[in-house]
Amino acid sequence: SQQGEEDPQALSIQEGENATMNCSYKTSINNLQWYRQNSGRGLVHLILIRSNEREKHSGRLRVTLDTSKKSSSLLITASRAADTASYFCATPVTSGTYKYIFGTGTRLKVLA
Amino acid sequence: KAGVTQTPRYLIKTRGQQVTLSCSPISGHRSVSWYQQTPGQGLQFLFEYFSETQRNKGNFPGRFSGRQFSNSRSEMNVSTLELGDSALYLCASSLQGAEAFFGQGTRLTVV
């Protein structure tokens, strides 16, 4: 079963609105990463949040981590058409390695 | 600083052939991992190398293999290609304990 699962699977919003996507995972982790993927291209790293952090910001992105609920959320504020992409969370299977489990992703569409 | 470079970007092969994909990590990164992405299975871990040693392996058949060289560059090889091997193959590099950065991928089509 997937370690990381994103919710919702698809999201369509108007430009300027905020987009929130959630990720749940099953086992203890020491970090969680969020990535963006434009259609058929490579993954772009957005944010890494460590297990001892509760919230992290990067520009218009805000990531929260709740280790008690084994969940994370990614908030994109004031969305733009260029934010249209798939967003994935990734969690390490084994601490200290890069064997990551990716969720199925949230497909975000921002309408101009 | 140059990013992760994967070559070739696109590849078309025939069933039964073999293929070698290459990944050059970010300078200074010693960890390289490989993933397969398909519409049906999503992103699946293939293997991870650190300092020329395979540190982890995913649940793929033995037709999938890889290696890492002393300069941290990595190759993966798929032998006896099947139609189901058509996918985007992604390579990621990282410093120990830090973010993993991905290349643009190699799109493999098996016909």
Side-chain angles (χ1 to χ4, degrees):
Chain A
S1 60
Q2 292 281 7
Q3 168 80 320
E5 296 187 6
E6 288 88 350
D7 167 60
Q9 289 190 342
L11 183 59
S12 187
I13 59 173
Q14 294 292 326
E15 208 167 29
E17 294 181 335
N18 295 343
T20 299
M21 45 209 100
N22 304 295
C23 166
S24 61
Y25 56 92
K26 291 184 169 58
T27 62
S28 295
I29 59 171
N30 59 6
N31 72 73
L32 182 146
Q33 303 189 48
W34 283 92
Y35 289 87
R36 183 186 76 229
Q37 184 179 39
N38 292 90
S39 181
R41 305 190 68 180
L43 295 166
V44 174
H45 186 270
L46 296 176
I47 284 185
L48 179 152
I49 187 166
R50 300 194 188 279
S51 58
N52 60 353
E53 297 174 308
R54 290 295 168 259
E55 188 170 308
K56 205 162 180 180
H57 295 254
S58 176
R60 294 183 296 110
L61 307 179
R62 181 176 79 111
V63 167
T64 61
L65 179 65
D66 187 336
T67 53
S68 66
K69 294 181 180 178
K70 291 187 169 57
S71 68
S72 174
S73 68
L74 169 66
L75 168 67
I76 304 173
T77 59
S79 62
R80 306 165 182 168
D83 295 327
T84 295
S86 291
Y87 292 82
F88 297 89
C89 68
T91 51
V93 174
T94 307
S95 174
T97 74
Y98 289 90
K99 183 175 182 178
Y100 278 88
I101 296 290
F102 283 81
T104 50
T106 292
R107 294 185 308 281
L108 173 66
K109 187 168 185 178
V110 181
L111 304 169
Chain B
K1 204 180 224 185
V4 178
T5 304
Q6 290 189 245
T7 56
R9 290 290 310 278
Y10 303 92
L11 206 48
I12 300 176
K13 289 285 189 179
T14 305
R15 268 183 304 175
Q17 287 187 313
Q18 74 157 16
V19 67
T20 299
L21 312 181
S22 179
C23 172
S24 293
I26 293 171
S27 178
H29 287 193
R30 293 163 64 190
S31 174
V32 173
S33 48
W34 289 87
Y35 291 81
Q36 180 198 64
Q37 186 178 30
T38 60
Q41 299 296 318
L43 279 150
Q44 302 220 301
F45 173 82
L46 280 158
F47 20 68
E48 179 200 358
Y49 289 88
F50 182 80
S51 293
E52 301 179 66
T53 301
Q54 188 179 85
R55 190 156 66 173
N56 277 293
K57 191 175 191 306
N59 295 323
F60 279 82
R63 299 184 298 106
F64 291 81
S65 62
R67 59 179 175 168
Q68 186 180 33
F69 302 95
S70 58
N71 62 358
S72 294
R73 189 177 71 86
S74 177
E75 289 182 347
M76 67 162 281
N77 184 277
V78 187
S79 62
T80 320
L81 283 165
E82 301 176 359
L83 295 178
D85 297 332
S86 294
L88 180 66
Y89 289 88
L90 292 161
C91 163
S93 80
S94 47
L95 282 171
Q96 190 69 6
E99 300 90 331
F101 294 93
F102 283 79
Q104 287 297 304
T106 294
R107 171 76 62 186
L108 171 65
T109 302
V110 182
V111 297

